[in-house]
Amino acid sequence: MKCIVQGCPGGMESRRIVHTFVRNGKPIVVEDLPAWVCPVCGYTLLDLVVLDTLFALDPDTASPVGQAPVFRLSLPQTA
Ligand SMILES: [Zn+2]
């Protein structure tokens, strides 16, 4: 499958990724998520069934398979 980003010559590769998102102010980490990734521009695409399952995930009732440390970087002010 060719990358859908205009002008990108890459082809999407089937990969397992770690996806992080925030729900109710809390970071949620999902590992081993099947995805299509372009190795050239990094564009990531999820299959609809994966996306649906991801949206249906309720972090408050689902059992986590692990815990991840959460960090916040101290960066110099740029603005
Ligand atoms: Zn690309």
Side-chain angles (χ1 to χ4, degrees), residues 4 6-7 9 14 17 20-21 28-29 32 49 51 56 61 63-65:
I4 65 166
Q6 205 166 15
S14 180
I17 64 166
T20 309
F21 61 100
I28 309 291
V29 181
D32 207 25
V49 61
L51 216 54
T61 55
S63 303
V65 295

Side-chain angles (χ1 to χ4, degrees), residues 2 8-9 27 55 60 70:
K2 204 191 164 302
C8 177
F55 282 137
D60 291 327
V70 178

Side-chain angles (χ1 to χ4, degrees), residues 6-7 10 13 23 25 38 47 49 54-56 61 65 68 70 75 77:
Q6 205 166 15
E13 291 176 357
R23 193 174 288 176
C38 172
D47 281 333
V49 61
L54 192 61
F55 282 137
T61 55
V65 295
V70 178
L75 296 172
Q77 292 290 348

Side-chain angles (χ1 to χ4, degrees), residues 14-70:
S14 180
R15 297 234 190 114
R16 297 272 166 161
I17 64 166
V18 175
H19 181 68
T20 309
F21 61 100
V22 175
R23 193 174 288 176
N24 299 331
K26 276 193 286 185
I28 309 291
V29 181
V30 178
E31 63 177 10
D32 207 25
L33 193 73
W36 294 94
V37 180
C38 172
V40 177
C41 71
Y43 187 81
T44 302
L45 203 67
L46 299 178
D47 281 333
L48 212 56
V49 61
V50 175
L51 216 54
D52 279 350
T53 312
L54 192 61
F55 282 137
L57 172 71
D58 183 353
D60 291 327
T61 55
S63 303
V65 295
Q67 298 287 332
V70 178

